[in-house]
Amino acid sequence: MAGAVIFISLAVALYRLLSGVSVPWALLMVGFVSVSAAVGFFDTLNNIAALHLFRGGEFLSVFDQSQRDSLGMFFLRLHSQGIFMNELFWGLWLFPFGLLVYRSGFLPSWIGVWLMINCFAYVILSPIALFFPTYYGTAFKLAQPVLFGEIAIMLWLLIKGAKVPELPQRTVASA
């Protein structure tokens, strides 16, 4: 849950940085992040359900231990399926983000292109994980170089920073 909150905070910070490039694309980026965070919050319920089943409790006394363990494992596997569903939104937010980086002029455009390609990698990986799980490991390994686009922008912002052009100073009379 903390990761989803940090993800929302990241989206707000990136919105403030990139909304000058295009407000509609920046809003779309924040929208996809918000949906991803919501899916992540709801997916956490699967872990909570598994925890309740494994710990037991008076209200679960109608189930024997092996039934509770089986149900707990079911919810843990459901959680991993939720992560695979959320991969779709992990990818979708990267397209507007990459486009904003590409158009910004103060961040390297090649990272923007990389982020947009990264978007399509996640969008392809999500259905593979859900419908063809035996091929997911191989597909993930093949897509790994593409998925480093997020790390590239993170390192760029941490090391180089965004060289946002200065806005003209407003005079007291115009304010």
Side-chain angles (χ1 to χ4, degrees), residues 9-128:
S9 301
L10 169 71
V12 171
L14 290 173
Y15 176 83
R16 292 196 60 193
L17 177 67
L18 296 167
S19 62
V21 177
S22 171
V23 172
W25 283 106
L27 285 172
L28 185 63
M29 175 187 68
V30 171
F32 283 137
V33 167
S34 300
V35 171
S36 176
V39 169
F41 284 134
F42 283 119
D43 194 32
T44 303
L45 289 174
N46 290 319
N47 282 345
I48 293 169
L51 185 63
H52 281 294
L53 286 164
F54 289 138
R55 283 188 179 168
E58 191 176 309
F59 65 97
L60 292 171
S61 61
V62 296
F63 299 109
D64 64 22
Q65 187 62 39
S66 65
Q67 290 173 323
R68 286 197 311 256
D69 290 345
S70 295
L71 281 171
M73 288 306 298
F74 170 74
F75 280 109
L76 287 178
R77 289 188 185 216
L78 215 66
H79 173 74
S80 67
Q81 294 300 309
I83 289 174
F84 293 141
M85 286 173 35
N86 209 0
E87 271 187 343
L88 179 69
F89 295 104
W90 294 345
L92 288 175
W93 89 279
L94 289 173
F95 188 82
F97 179 38
L99 189 64
L100 289 166
V101 168
Y102 180 78
R103 291 181 177 174
S104 70
F106 53 85
L107 292 169
S109 58
W110 61 271
I111 294 180
V113 171
W114 196 353
L115 288 168
M116 288 186 277
I117 295 169
N118 194 347
C119 158
F120 292 110
Y122 273 127
V123 169
I124 291 168
L125 281 173
S126 179
I128 289 173

Side-chain angles (χ1 to χ4, degrees), residues 99-169:
L99 189 64
L100 289 166
V101 168
Y102 180 78
R103 291 181 177 174
S104 70
F106 53 85
L107 292 169
S109 58
W110 61 271
I111 294 180
V113 171
W114 196 353
L115 288 168
M116 288 186 277
I117 295 169
N118 194 347
C119 158
F120 292 110
Y122 273 127
V123 169
I124 291 168
L125 281 173
S126 179
I128 289 173
L130 293 170
F131 301 118
F132 309 104
T134 56
Y135 300 109
Y136 180 75
T138 304
F140 187 79
K141 286 177 189 172
L142 291 173
Q144 200 63 50
V146 174
L147 298 177
F148 286 138
E150 294 169 280
I151 294 174
I153 188 68
M154 177 189 66
L155 289 174
W156 186 274
L157 289 172
L158 281 173
I159 296 168
K160 293 285 245 174
K163 306 233 185 311
V164 181
E166 289 284 326
L167 295 175
Q169 294 281 339

